[in-house]
Amino acid sequence: MKKKTQSSNLIQTSSLPDIVFILLFFFMVVTHIKEADPLMEIHEPEASCTDRISNASLVDHIYIGKMDGKEVLQLDDGIAQLQDIRPWVEDNVIRRADPDKSKIIRALHVDGKIKMERVSQVKQELRKADALKVLYSTIPQSK
């Protein structure tokens, strides 16, 4: 009489961790952090002396421009009011892993035709939220 050999219906999973690691590494390499897209057209002023920010992950972007003839403030992907700035700053500080909020930079992207009064109002709200590191975004001066 012949011996019956038992066939194994088990799936080999020994290479599964390698595959998972390769997929994880692939997505870490090809994925980038999404920045907010301005909902309005902004013509930033030119500057003769500009500098790049070394760590772009520490930058929060604030857009001030015109939409349908009105001055509009944009925080992240949505239109906002002046009173929305403080909660937005606090949420962005909490969202980051680094507890040192003094490292976070707020970049103002301001259309060249916006009155300075509106920009001053935004800066006052940033001061009230203890967001003191503010810069103006510009384009390099064409030669």
Side-chain angles (χ1 to χ4, degrees):
M1 189 169 224
K2 283 187 173 182
K3 280 187 173 178
K4 287 188 177 178
T5 56
Q6 253 185 336
S7 63
S8 174
N9 290 337
L10 298 175
I11 298 173
Q12 287 288 357
T13 59
S14 60
S15 63
L16 189 61
D18 295 333
I19 295 170
V20 170
F21 178 73
I22 290 170
L23 283 173
L24 177 66
F25 184 73
F26 171 77
F27 285 115
M28 286 173 52
V29 169
V30 299
T31 303
H32 67 279
I33 298 172
K34 180 189 176 290
E35 291 183 19
D37 296 323
L39 301 173
M40 76 260 344
E41 190 171 326
I42 294 181
H43 301 285
E44 294 176 341
E46 292 183 354
S48 59
C49 183
T50 60
D51 203 4
R52 290 202 175 268
I53 299 171
S54 60
N55 191 353
S57 66
L58 291 175
V59 179
D60 290 337
H61 299 275
I62 301 172
Y63 300 93
I64 307 171
K66 289 200 174 195
M67 180 186 281
D68 300 329
K70 295 189 304 184
E71 291 183 358
V72 177
L73 173 70
Q74 178 183 342
L75 306 173
D76 292 331
D77 286 333
I79 303 300
Q81 302 297 320
L82 282 174
Q83 61 267 22
D84 299 331
I85 292 177
R86 275 193 262 179
W88 174 77
V89 167
E90 291 167 5
D91 288 344
N92 285 349
V93 169
I94 292 169
R95 183 175 44 92
R96 288 190 166 82
D98 191 359
D100 188 6
K101 66 179 180 178
S102 66
K103 293 180 182 177
I104 302 172
I105 303 168
R106 276 59 182 210
L108 294 176
H109 302 268
V110 183
D111 188 82
K113 295 181 180 175
I114 297 296
K115 294 182 180 178
M116 195 61 192
E117 177 185 1
R118 180 70 167 168
V119 177
S120 294
Q121 291 170 344
V122 170
K123 287 175 60 178
Q124 286 294 330
E125 288 298 316
L126 287 171
R127 277 190 204 119
K128 290 175 187 174
D130 200 28
L132 305 177
K133 211 171 203 180
V134 178
L135 62 83
Y136 292 99
S137 179
T138 63
I139 56 174
Q141 191 174 34
S142 56
K143 295 180 181 182

